[in-house]
Amino acid sequence: MQTHDGPSTAERKARYAILIRWWNGGALVMLVVLAFALFGLISGQGLGALRPIYCGFLAAMMALGGMVLALWRGFIVSNQQVLDDETGSRR
């Protein structure tokens, strides 16, 4: 009887690369939205139909989202380090 031990090392490395690409994309989008929200807040005129108070709320949400992304990045990198330790490979 065969047992399945989970994904192979190659699959895990491919998943790591995909997760990092998604993380980079998410971080870039959040940074752009944060910059526009701060611009609308600091200028005092808002962004289009968004009043300055809502720009402040948007900036706060992007800051909190950035913290979540930082935690996610920590989990991704720590899992990759575990994989590197298991396979004996170094970056």
Side-chain angles (χ1 to χ4, degrees):
M1 185 162 102
Q2 290 182 334
T3 60
H4 183 64
D5 293 331
S8 68
T9 302
E11 288 173 351
R12 289 169 67 187
K13 286 186 178 187
R15 288 179 185 173
Y16 171 75
I18 292 168
L19 280 174
I20 288 298
R21 277 193 213 112
W22 273 100
W23 188 92
N24 288 336
L28 180 63
V29 167
M30 289 186 76
L31 187 63
V32 168
V33 171
L34 178 63
F36 279 110
L38 286 176
F39 174 75
L41 181 65
I42 292 170
S43 71
Q45 297 187 9
L47 291 172
L50 214 63
R51 294 185 13 214
I53 187 73
Y54 298 123
C55 289
F57 287 132
L58 184 61
M61 286 188 295
M62 290 301 107
L64 289 173
M67 289 183 236
V68 170
L69 275 178
L71 286 171
W72 185 30
R73 176 75 181 227
F75 287 124
I76 294 170
V77 171
S78 67
N79 286 338
Q80 181 60 29
Q81 288 173 349
V82 168
L83 178 62
D84 288 344
D85 291 343
E86 288 175 1
T87 60
S89 62
R90 294 282 176 215
R91 288 184 171 245

